[in-house]
Amino acid sequence: MQFIEWGALANIVGLGILVGAGLPSLFAIGVRALAGPGARGADGRVAPRRVVLAWTCFGIAAAAIGGAIMFLAAGGH
Amino acid sequence: MTGVPSRDVHPPTTMVDVNDPLLLGVVVATALAFDFTNGFHDTGNAMATSIATKALKPRQAVLLSASLNMVGAFLSLTVAATIATGIVDARIVTLEVVLAGLVGGIVWNLLTWLFGIPSSSSHALVGGVVGAVLAASGSSGVLWSGLTAKVLIPALLAPVVAIMVAAIGTAIVTRITADVEEKDNDTMFRWGQIGSASLVSLAHGTNDAQKSMGIILLALIAAGAVPADSGVPFWVILSCALAMAAGTYTGGWRVIRTLGKGLVELSSRQGMAAETSSAAVILLSSHFGYSLSTTHVATGSILGSGVGMKGASVRWSVAGRMFASWLITVPSAALVGALCYWLDTAVGGTAGSYVVFGVLIVVAGLIYLRSRIRPVNHANVNDDWDPVEDPEAYVAESVSVHNPAVMRVRRKDLKRAKRRARREARRLDREAQRRADEQHRRAQARDRTERR
């Protein structure tokens, strides 16, 4: 009997770091794009390039949540 | 979390025929009670961070979590209709064993709640069942290697994995947003936090409500109330979802307080990183079929968010107490389970099961009364963990801890000291008077000599 399922554990750690640390980082990039230093120009508006970047990041995070809900609903638990 | 489709349900052949509808009712009620404690014990896993960082008001948070638990219970209907598969010999699991196991799980859940310790509900249930099996048929009924590999070792691994993931996440996030204003960080990460916490709640509803559904289904099959190949009746799904949601809404405020305030002082960035790490690790672990306890993962993630944040301090003493309680979860619940089983068989017949149920109600009532002495609720859940913050108080506290005699002043000593002080004051007064007199006399003498 194998006491630790090393394969599964390695997957959990690897993908866990990729997703569990990657998504917050992506979100943080979005936040920095919208509110970081230099985000607002002289007219007090955020440059469109930054807005697009931010919402791409937030969109990926939201999509990940959607995917997770599908995973739960599909009985993957 | 080890999901087994409902078609795989094989009621153990030795399960006694239950023709007494009242006994069936007792087992169903106990399973629902376990579901309730499961809900209110685990609210903190999802919502403690959001409450601590004020992303959500406490009441809002438990309401959201309860609703999502409820939705989660309906979300997927692949029911894990087996309990403790691969951990105990399935042929020994009779209705009495299940009842004793449930009582063991409930009592351990309530005790850990009383002390505000987050502890895994599924481990408590497994522990209760293992104890009951030990009492029923001795150590041969327990598959020890299964117990070690599926319960004990994961309990040690889960927090380590979660600490790692959350620490890395927090470190990266805080680095990226280091020069963003705190106000902007808070408003935006608030939403990230709510999203990830909701996901944890949903996953909890899907996973844990179905354990109780499975137990009730087994009891119904054993009682002959439904055919052996039956799916889960709708009223079972509904009542399990409701029991868990009610438990969640009641809010295990004691556990929430420990998780949110006791381990790390959380900011919204840390909360978001911690909760995302929890969601990712929980979902991945169930995907790879290596079930890690939600509680252990959530606690580990919160600790990790303190490890990864520069300048944050983690109260390892509180964490250590938790780890210790996780190690004794299975044996303690097993002890209660075994005692209940012995009580059940000592009384004998269906009456034994009623007695066990009665004992459960009494014990639960006592624990509830004990909790009223120092209640924790939505109003004081976010109070500071250490009310004494100034250094002087710490010094005084440490002195009082090391040598209480130093700090104590006896009344007699106090009186004597006051008398001495008064005497001293009088003496000083007299001396001052004498000096003043002398000066006066000298001045007069000088006057006289000058006049001559």
Side-chain angles (χ1 to χ4, degrees), chain B residues 144-174:
Chain B
W144 294 103
S145 57
L147 182 66
T148 313
K150 288 189 176 184
V151 179
L152 301 180
I153 290 178
L156 299 175
L157 289 177
V160 175
V161 172
I163 286 175
M164 212 153 62
V165 173
I168 294 172
T170 309
I172 300 176
V173 166
T174 47

Side-chain angles (χ1 to χ4, degrees), chain B residues 80-154:
Chain B
T82 44
I83 38 169
T85 331
I87 295 168
V88 295
D89 188 346
R91 286 166 303 175
I92 301 166
V93 183
T94 62
L95 219 49
E96 283 83 3
V97 166
V98 172
L99 184 66
L102 282 170
V103 173
I106 293 172
V107 169
W108 182 249
N109 268 353
L110 289 177
L111 275 178
T112 45
W113 163 74
L114 183 64
F115 291 106
I117 298 171
S119 114
S120 168
S121 300
S122 41
H123 281 203
L125 179 61
V126 165
V129 172
V130 164
V133 166
L134 278 176
S137 69
S139 63
S140 63
V142 178
L143 311 173
W144 294 103
S145 57
L147 182 66
T148 313
K150 288 189 176 184
V151 179
L152 301 180
I153 290 178

Side-chain angles (χ1 to χ4, degrees), chain B residues 16 92 94-100 131-137 336-357:
Chain B
V16 286
I92 301 166
T94 62
L95 219 49
E96 283 83 3
V97 166
V98 172
L99 184 66
V133 166
L134 278 176
S137 69
V336 180
L339 288 176
C340 289
Y341 186 82
W342 279 322
L343 181 65
D344 196 328
T345 45
V347 177
T350 46
S353 301
Y354 302 146
V355 171
V356 168
F357 190 60

Side-chain angles (χ1 to χ4, degrees), chain B residues 294-354:
Chain B
T294 309
T295 306
H296 299 163
V297 172
T299 310
S301 291
I302 291 173
L303 287 172
S305 77
V307 172
M309 177 100 170
K310 247 186 222 161
S313 59
V314 178
R315 290 195 191 86
W316 288 108
S317 59
V318 180
R321 220 178 308 153
M322 269 177 215
F323 295 146
S325 81
W326 295 350
L327 291 179
I328 61 168
T329 292
V330 171
S332 317
L335 183 66
V336 180
L339 288 176
C340 289
Y341 186 82
W342 279 322
L343 181 65
D344 196 328
T345 45
V347 177
T350 46
S353 301
Y354 302 146

Side-chain angles (χ1 to χ4, degrees), chain A residues 13 16 24-25 32 37 72 77, chain B residues 76 164 172 176 179 207 210 284:
Chain A
V13 172
S25 310
R32 195 170 197 280
L72 282 173
H77 60 91
Chain B
S76 161
M164 212 153 62
I172 300 176
I176 291 175
D179 46 7
N207 286 324
Q210 285 174 5
L284 283 169

